[in-house]
Amino acid sequence: MSVIVTDKGFGPDDFEGGFVPLAEAGAEDTAIEIAPADDARALVGRLGEIAAIRVTFPAFSDGRGFTHGRDLRSLGFTGRLRAAGHVIADQYAMARRSGFDEVEISDDLAERQPEDQWLARADWKAHDYQARLRG
């Protein structure tokens, strides 16, 4: 099972349908999963047809997923963008700033890092580096 984290806290996964790995995705697939080594630019020309993209994070120390999120938004993707896997509460603000709408975590991680730890980072727009410098 998994837990979906948004700015409002923990919730169930309400996305219906499965994600297809980018390497296996066909033109009819509208929910794509991108791994760290994938090239998200392969979706250019199809981004308007895709409802959701899940970017996998195999380890909390692997930041390539943040780059994928930023790149997908820069390329014009406006659908649902989900970070999935080993993202920790301390990285939630970075995920949101990178363009992700939500984070999918395991039940085990949700137990180790309860909802209040994620909610403490939910005001991600107000707690960025530049805002702290401005005072």
Side-chain angles (χ1 to χ4, degrees):
M1 295 296 296
S2 62
V3 173
I4 301 300
V5 183
T6 67
D7 293 348
K8 295 178 181 177
F10 286 1
D13 187 353
D14 64 356
F15 183 75
E16 297 188 14
F19 290 89
V20 178
L22 179 61
E24 301 169 17
E28 71 284 354
D29 294 311
T30 60
I32 309 297
E33 181 174 272
I34 296 179
D38 288 342
D39 185 355
R41 293 173 297 183
L43 296 173
V44 170
R46 294 194 50 216
L47 291 173
E49 305 161 8
I50 298 172
I53 298 176
R54 178 171 60 190
V55 178
T56 60
F57 286 73
F60 77 90
S61 59
D62 188 342
R64 292 176 288 177
F66 297 118
T67 302
H68 282 319
R70 185 200 64 219
D71 290 348
L72 286 162
R73 293 300 189 200
S74 294
L75 292 168
F77 180 64
T78 59
R80 191 172 187 172
L81 188 56
R82 176 184 293 182
H86 295 280
V87 178
I88 59 176
D90 286 343
Q91 295 171 315
Y92 182 71
M94 175 62 78
R96 293 290 284 129
R97 284 189 200 102
S98 298
F100 290 96
D101 300 303
E102 60 195 19
V103 176
E104 177 184 341
I105 61 173
S106 68
D107 289 335
D108 290 341
L109 180 57
E111 283 184 35
R112 289 192 311 273
Q113 293 190 324
E115 184 177 38
D116 64 314
Q117 293 184 22
W118 295 84
L119 287 172
R121 288 135 181 105
D123 193 8
W124 56 275
K125 290 181 182 177
H127 295 103
D128 69 335
Y129 174 72
Q130 291 179 354
R132 286 194 310 267
L133 287 177
R134 288 190 296 269

